[in-house]
Amino acid sequence: MEHSEVVVNPTPISAGEKVTVNYKGLLTDEGANEVYLHAGVGYNDNWREITDIKMEPNSTGEWSAQLRVNTTERLNFCFKDSAENWDNNNGHNWSFEVHNGQQYS
């Protein structure tokens, strides 16, 4: 697999929501027995509130984790396994804008 498959639900993300991240990619292909979601919030390379969440495997070969996003800053994440091998989207990580939840008409 050349590119990792990452699905974030729901999108768009609103502040205060619980978000599910599903991953199937490089670490899965390499036979990782544990995968962690490495996540933080902030802009560019200034991540804050960094956390590692152990992901759970499912029957389709994907890994899944949930987290609550309590800010309107960007959600940034990448993945690592128990041997400290990383999938960071070729150095770009994954990044999602977080909205304040207001709808405009």
Side-chain angles (χ1 to χ4, degrees), residues 29-89:
D29 295 344
E30 297 296 320
N33 60 349
E34 291 182 344
V35 175
Y36 295 85
L37 174 68
H38 181 78
V41 296
Y43 297 97
N44 301 318
D45 290 330
N46 298 317
W47 292 23
R48 297 178 299 97
E49 300 176 27
I50 297 170
T51 186
D52 290 326
I53 302 169
K54 186 175 181 180
M55 301 185 82
E56 296 295 325
N58 65 29
S59 60
T60 64
E62 291 181 329
W63 296 84
S64 182
Q66 290 187 330
L67 72 156
R68 187 170 304 281
V69 182
N70 291 317
T71 179
T72 55
E73 294 184 76
R74 291 191 76 79
L75 169 63
N76 306 293
F77 58 87
C78 57
F79 305 92
K80 68 177 185 171
D81 67 13
S82 57
E84 295 294 318
N85 296 306
W86 292 82
D87 185 352
N88 63 5
N89 197 21

